[in-house]
Amino acid sequence: MQILSEQVHETSTLSVWSGSGPLVARVHDEQSRFIRISIAVGSTLPINTAQGQIFLAHLANERSVARATLGLSESERARLLDRCEDVRRTRIAFSDASADGLRCVAAPIYGPDGSLAATLALIGTLSRIPDHSGDVRVQALVKAARSLSTG
């Protein structure tokens, strides 16, 4: 995570599934910037975050999906579920908190049995984090997530 953050000059996070959303297990704040974006370790993120979308795309049953999407409007739930196939195919998810000027991109980390173990994500401003897979930051994230995967 440190290498990734230093390479792309953005904050990186590692999240695991908590049963109802992504739980931030580790954060590496990019140190070269005067202003840093950070998330507290132990925070449970909403399902509509990039990390949440990765987990949602890999949930095995409708009961888990219902629990993860509890509290969302029907239109938001439908929008997220419509993205799942694309997230599984591309192994990338994007989200943004436009009102806060932030964007996140996440990639899956797979365990030895091939199941989703965690997510690795980059968090930054809308102007610095792209919303497409061709950017060098996104490619570095995907490469780092693959290197951490064991399955």
Side-chain angles (χ1 to χ4, degrees), residues 36 50 116-117 133:
R36 297 180 189 149
L116 182 65
S133 61

Side-chain angles (χ1 to χ4, degrees), residues 4 7-8 122 130 132-142:
L4 175 63
Q7 180 183 6
V8 300
L122 294 174
H132 59 86
S133 61
D135 186 84
V136 295
R137 290 176 200 87
V138 177
Q139 293 171 0
L141 170 69
V142 169

Side-chain angles (χ1 to χ4, degrees), residues 14-17 55 58 108-119 148-150:
L14 179 82
S15 298
V16 296
W17 186 246
F55 282 110
H58 290 80
I109 298 171
Y110 295 102
D113 64 353
S115 66
L116 182 65
T119 63
L148 294 171
S149 293
T150 56

Side-chain angles (χ1 to χ4, degrees), residues 1 3 5 8 12-13 22 28 35 51-52 59-60 78 80 83 85 87 95 122 126 132 136 143 150:
M1 288 177 62
I3 293 168
S5 288
V8 300
S12 61
T13 66
H28 189 275
I35 297 174
Q51 299 93 319
L59 290 177
L80 288 174
R83 289 185 185 173
E85 184 178 332
V87 168
S95 65
L122 294 174
L126 291 172
H132 59 86
V136 295
K143 182 178 178 183
T150 56

Side-chain angles (χ1 to χ4, degrees), residues 47 49-59 87-88 91-94 105-110 116 118-120:
I47 198 68
T49 59
Q51 299 93 319
Q53 291 176 55
I54 296 283
F55 282 110
L56 184 62
H58 290 80
L59 290 177
V87 168
R88 282 188 299 271
R91 296 184 175 191
I92 301 170
F94 297 91
V105 57
I109 298 171
Y110 295 102
L116 182 65
T119 63
L120 185 63

